[in-house]
Amino acid sequence: MTIASTFDKETGDVFQHFGRTETFRIYTVEDGKITDKHDVSAAETGGHAALAPFLKEHGVSALIAGGIGGGARAALSSYGIALYPGVSGNADKAAEALANGTLIYDENATCHHHDGEHSCHHHGEGDGCHHSC
């Protein structure tokens, strides 16, 4: 199995906004254990619509994420990528938990700011804007 996690390179945590993910950490899993991990840049993919095929090209079969919208969910599903949303904290620990079947996630975690409910247009540290995607 190959797992990807949205990845915040500064903190090592699961990045909380799928569509703005610049880096994915990709894990190779064999016999319930991570045998390899590496980071891939998604900065030049073109955003939301291109991320699902980008992950499929990297052999990803499961994705760990924070917030994620309905369109991205549908795209991942169409590429056969299992989704584990609503995850926060250290990405490596989350991948280990998924590999051994103990990952706690929120199947209903979504990203609502695309519906006009979100007025923050920048997602930098300390910008006063904190949401789940």
Side-chain angles (χ1 to χ4, degrees), residues 95-121:
E96 288 173 15
L98 180 56
N100 68 35
T102 62
L103 180 65
I104 296 171
Y105 63 99
D106 179 359
E107 186 175 305
N108 298 312
T110 60
C111 184
H112 295 290
H113 77 272
H114 299 285
D115 298 330
E117 299 170 19
H118 183 65
S119 62
C120 176
H121 297 289

Side-chain angles (χ1 to χ4, degrees), residues 42-92:
E44 302 299 321
T45 61
H48 289 83
L51 292 177
F54 173 81
L55 291 171
K56 191 64 174 180
E57 288 171 13
H58 282 77
V60 172
S61 56
L63 173 69
I64 298 168
I68 186 165
R73 286 172 172 268
L76 290 166
S77 178
S78 75
Y79 282 92
I81 299 172
L83 176 61
Y84 298 88
V87 178
S88 60
N90 184 272
D92 290 349

